Amino acid sequence: MTDVLPIPVIAIDGPSASGKGTVAALVAQALGFHYLDSGAIYRVAAYAAQRGEVSLEDEAALAELALHLQLRFTGGEVILDGEPVGDAIRSEAAGRAASRIAALPALRLALLERQRAFRLAPGLVADGRDMGSVVFPDARLKVFLTASAEERAQRRYKQLIEKGLDANLAPLLQDLRERDARDVARSAAPLQQTADAVLLDTTGLNIQQAVQQVLVWYSQASKTV
Ligand code: CDP
C-alpha cells in the first residue's frame, strides 16, 4: 500500500506590510492552490466585536464571538453575515484592533480550526504570523517574508496614496514599529522565524522576484517528499 501524502501547504509568515499577502496570493494562483489570508479573519473578528459592542479586552466574549462568526471568502470579497466587509476591515484602525485582539490566546484558539479548514486539495498557500509555527506546523514549505521597516512603511504609504487616501510616512512607520513590537512580544503565537523556515528579505526585490523565489523553493521542497 502507498502512503497518502497530506495536502501540501506553503506557509508564508512575516511582519505587517511585508508584501506577504500579495506574494502568497500570486503563488497560490501560479500553482492553482487555495489561498488563506489569516489576517483578514483577525480583522473580521475585531470588526464584528466593535460592531457588536464587545470590548476588545473581553477575551471570553471575543472567543465566543469568533467561534460563531458567519464568515465567507468569495471571489476576493470577505462576507460577514451576508454583507461585504472587505473595505471596512482594511482600514488602519481595523488593523490596529485586529493586532490587539490577536494577542489573546482564547481568541486564537477559537480561530484555529476555522483556519485549518482551508487546507483543501490540491494545496493551500496561507499567510499570517503563525502559519508555520502553530496552524500548519507540517507545512511543506515555510517562508519568513520580511523587509526593512522603512521599506514596508514606504510600500504602505504608496498603497494608501494610490487608493486616493491621505497618508503620512512618519506616523505609518511609527505604527508599523508598534505593531511589530506587539506581534513579536506577545506570548501567544508570537511572530518569529522558526528554525525550519527560509528567510526571504524582499528589501530591494520586486513582487515577481519574490514570487519566483517561493516557487523555486516549493519545487525543491516537493522533490524531497
Ligand atoms: O499585515 P497587516 O498588519 O497589515 O495585517 P494582517 O496580516 O491583515 O493582520 C492583521 C493583524 O492580525 C496583525 O497585526 C496581527 O497582529 C494579527 N495576525 C495574527 O496575529 N496572526 C495571523 N496569523 C494573522 C494576523
Side-chain angles (χ1 to χ4, degrees):
M1 242 176 66
T2 51
D3 282 338
V4 180
L5 286 175
I7 295 171
V9 175
I10 300 179
I12 303 186
D13 290 303
S16 276
S18 53
K20 57 189 189 312
T22 310
V23 171
L26 288 170
V27 169
Q29 201 180 63
L31 295 170
F33 280 12
H34 300 275
Y35 165 53
L36 166 63
D37 171 3
S38 63
I41 300 184
Y42 285 89
R43 286 169 180 265
V44 169
Y47 173 79
Q50 287 178 319
R51 202 185 55 178
E53 294 179 11
V54 172
S55 154
L56 297 185
E57 256 112 64
D58 188 343
E59 186 166 359
L62 288 168
E64 188 58 26
L65 174 142
L67 276 178
H68 299 107
L69 279 180
Q70 295 299 316
L71 168 64
R72 281 183 296 126
F73 291 88
T74 344
E77 183 50 277
V78 188
I79 314 282
L80 173 67
D81 294 328
E83 308 263 331
V85 293
D87 286 342
I89 65 163
R90 293 286 155 218
S91 71
E92 292 299 300
R96 268 195 300 278
S99 144
R100 274 177 61 194
I101 66 167
L104 304 172
L107 173 91
R108 302 195 72 86
L109 188 63
L111 293 177
L112 196 55
E113 288 313 317
R114 187 185 287 270
Q115 295 173 82
R116 288 186 175 150
F118 282 82
R119 187 174 195 164
L120 297 169
L124 175 70
V125 184
D127 93 68
R129 304 294 190 283
D130 61 343
M131 296 298 99
S133 57
V134 176
V135 183
F136 304 108
D138 65 338
R140 186 174 293 179
L141 173 67
K142 299 181 186 180
V143 177
F144 190 81
L145 196 148
T146 189
S148 69
E150 288 74 14
E151 172 125 358
R152 289 185 283 126
Q154 282 283 358
R155 289 178 188 169
R156 177 117 322 160
Y157 176 79
K158 252 186 75 190
Q159 261 176 9
L160 293 170
I161 296 291
E162 276 164 12
K163 278 196 220 156
L165 297 169
D166 238 7
N168 272 308
L169 198 55
L172 278 176
L173 182 58
Q174 171 74 14
D175 190 56
L176 270 183
R177 291 206 160 112
E178 281 168 17
R179 218 180 292 183
D180 284 357
R182 213 168 21 228
D183 283 350
V184 169
R186 71 180 177 217
S187 54
L191 174 67
Q192 55 172 334
Q193 184 188 349
T194 53
D196 54 357
V198 277
L199 176 68
L200 181 52
D201 186 338
T202 64
T203 315
L205 286 191
N206 66 32
I207 302 270
Q208 274 320 318
Q209 291 169 315
V211 169
Q212 211 40 47
Q213 180 60 73
V214 175
L215 290 172
V216 167
W217 281 332
Y218 180 68
S219 139
Q220 287 165 350
S222 296
K223 282 189 195 129
T224 58
V225 281

